[in-house]
Amino acid sequence: MRAFTAIVAVLIVLLVSSCAFVVSEGQSAILVQFGRIVDAGFKPGLHFKLPAPLQQVLRFDRRILTLDSAPERYLTSEKKDVNVDFFVKWRIADPSTYYTAVAGDETRAQQRLAPIVKGGLRTAINSRTLQEVVSSARTDLTKALVESANRAAEGLGIQIVDVRIKRI
């Protein structure tokens, strides 16, 4: 009888442990049931769900992530070639939209984010002279680029924090 009670107790502990999950401070999480989002926006702490085969917890990093791009060639308004090397600081703003848009894959998100930023940078550089691109107008350029890229990246669940030009 004691062995049966011990086995039942162990099974209960395993069941409860498969129903509990922890979200740390640097994460956000969504709850997925059969590939469909059931709940999102979990705060850090202990939460409960149905056992593992029915529901899964997907955790995403809330910290600022970096997209480092290879140097690209752009034309200024004077039709002069400039090689621009830049990087983008971004974070996941809406985990549900992020999961829906890129299946929670950071590499796929960066692949979709890169053309948005490159297109915005191309437009910004094409409308300025070489002097304006290199001089103090550079901060205005990056500020406008962040705003336009954020509008374009809303559908990805991503917020662009900063775009910095490393070298021109």
Side-chain angles (χ1 to χ4, degrees), residues 27-89:
Q27 296 177 332
S28 59
I30 61 172
L31 192 60
V32 178
Q33 183 172 344
F34 303 120
R36 188 175 52 92
I37 298 172
V38 177
D39 198 3
F42 290 100
K43 302 283 186 216
L46 179 66
H47 304 280
F48 295 96
K49 65 177 183 71
L50 294 177
L54 297 176
Q55 292 183 338
Q56 292 178 310
V57 177
L58 301 174
R59 294 175 181 86
F60 303 109
D61 204 352
R62 285 191 329 177
R63 296 177 296 179
I64 295 177
L65 304 168
T66 303
L67 165 66
D68 197 4
S69 178
E72 291 275 327
R73 174 171 268 158
Y74 299 102
L75 287 175
T76 64
S77 64
E78 306 162 317
K79 304 294 184 220
K80 292 185 180 179
D81 280 340
V82 248
N83 283 332
V84 180
D85 193 8
F86 67 94
F87 65 92
V88 180
K89 294 292 187 177

Side-chain angles (χ1 to χ4, degrees), residues 9-160:
V10 167
L11 288 175
I12 290 173
V13 167
L14 287 175
L15 182 66
V16 168
S17 68
S18 74
C19 292
F21 66 96
V22 176
V23 178
S24 70
E25 281 191 44
Q27 296 177 332
S28 59
I30 61 172
L31 192 60
V32 178
Q33 183 172 344
F34 303 120
R36 188 175 52 92
I37 298 172
V38 177
D39 198 3
F42 290 100
K43 302 283 186 216
L46 179 66
H47 304 280
F48 295 96
K49 65 177 183 71
L50 294 177
L54 297 176
Q55 292 183 338
Q56 292 178 310
V57 177
L58 301 174
R59 294 175 181 86
F60 303 109
D61 204 352
R62 285 191 329 177
R63 296 177 296 179
I64 295 177
L65 304 168
T66 303
L67 165 66
D68 197 4
S69 178
E72 291 275 327
R73 174 171 268 158
Y74 299 102
L75 287 175
T76 64
S77 64
E78 306 162 317
K79 304 294 184 220
K80 292 185 180 179
D81 280 340
V82 248
N83 283 332
V84 180
D85 193 8
F86 67 94
F87 65 92
V88 180
K89 294 292 187 177
W90 63 281
R91 78 173 79 201
I92 299 169
D94 183 9
S96 299
T97 308
Y98 179 76
Y99 175 72
T100 305
V102 296
D105 185 14
E106 187 177 324
T107 305
R108 191 180 295 173
Q110 289 184 352
Q111 289 171 348
R112 300 223 8 224
L113 185 61
I116 292 171
V117 175
K118 287 177 184 177
L121 192 58
R122 178 173 287 110
T123 303
I125 290 177
N126 285 346
S127 64
R128 289 174 172 78
T129 65
L130 181 61
Q131 181 67 26
E132 291 171 341
V133 170
V134 176
S135 71
S136 62
R138 191 174 185 169
T139 56
D140 297 336
L141 182 139
T142 57
K143 188 176 179 182
L145 179 59
V146 167
E147 290 173 5
S148 67
N150 269 326
R151 284 191 299 275
E154 271 181 8
L156 299 176
I158 292 174
Q159 175 195 7
I160 297 172

